[in-house]
Amino acid sequence: EEKNKQIEQKQKELDAAVREKSTMKTEMLEMRRQLETSRREKAAAVRHARVEERKQKAAAVRHARVEERREKTIREQEKAQLEHELEEQHREKTTLQQQVQELQERLAVSRTATEEIRQMLREGDEVLSIPSRDIQLTEQKLGKGSYGEVRIAYWQGCPVAVKMLY
């Protein structure tokens, strides 16, 4: 009987050890499952972080490209404006050059006329008589007297005063 009790005791201890081993095995399997789940979640979080980082980089690149296009458009508008202003200045320069040329021509004509008048006066003519076909008379009156009126006219491109007798 003592032996039976010992065998029974040993059997109980063995059963308890088997149950403990089974419990430990179950706990270990649960821990492995949790560890694997944790690894998957961590890998998913890392992938998600990488995706978000790529999205942010892509958004930054898109923003930079939009900004570059905007700046390029502004530069092109400024260039067009400057080209327009340059063209305007060129036209103004051409106009001014033409005006200078015309004034130089008028000055030359005026000098010639002045020299002709001086020559006539040196020759002793007190009254200067110019053929009417050489004078362009205007309607502008400078004055009026008892013998006639004085008007502005042009002789050889120069403004002169002409006394018209009644």
Side-chain angles (χ1 to χ4, degrees), residues 80-94:
Q81 179 65 29
L82 289 172
E83 287 172 346
H84 176 72
E85 289 174 11
L86 184 62
E87 190 176 302
E88 283 293 317
Q89 288 176 355
H90 180 69
R91 276 195 290 269
E92 287 177 25
K93 178 184 173 187
T94 302

Side-chain angles (χ1 to χ4, degrees), residues 4-56:
N4 278 342
K5 279 185 181 184
Q6 282 181 350
I7 291 177
E8 234 178 72
Q9 181 63 29
K10 289 283 182 188
Q11 185 63 42
K12 285 181 184 179
E13 287 175 6
L14 185 61
D15 287 344
V18 167
R19 278 193 308 277
E20 187 176 329
K21 183 179 175 186
S22 177
T23 301
M24 286 176 76
K25 189 175 181 182
T26 301
E27 287 174 354
M28 199 158 109
L29 287 174
E30 180 61 25
M31 288 171 77
R32 281 184 184 162
R33 188 190 61 74
Q34 287 175 355
L35 181 61
E36 188 60 33
T37 300
S38 174
R39 283 181 185 158
R40 277 190 237 119
E41 288 173 354
K42 184 177 178 182
V46 167
R47 282 192 305 273
H48 179 73
R50 287 180 184 157
V51 167
E52 288 302 314
E53 182 181 346
R54 286 183 191 136
K55 285 180 182 179
Q56 288 176 354

Side-chain angles (χ1 to χ4, degrees), residues 132-143:
S132 61
R133 69 179 176 276
D134 292 345
I135 296 176
Q136 290 87 39
L137 199 59
T138 68
E139 295 296 319
Q140 225 175 347
K141 292 181 184 177
L142 293 175

Side-chain angles (χ1 to χ4, degrees), residues 123-166:
E123 292 173 359
D125 293 335
E126 291 183 19
V127 177
L128 182 59
S129 180
I130 300 171
S132 61
R133 69 179 176 276
D134 292 345
I135 296 176
Q136 290 87 39
L137 199 59
T138 68
E139 295 296 319
Q140 225 175 347
K141 292 181 184 177
L142 293 175
K144 185 175 182 177
S146 59
Y147 294 105
E149 61 186 21
V150 179
R151 289 187 181 181
I152 295 179
Y154 289 93
W155 175 59
Q156 295 185 352
C158 298
V160 293
V162 174
K163 185 172 187 178
M164 309 257 315
L165 301 175
Y166 295 123

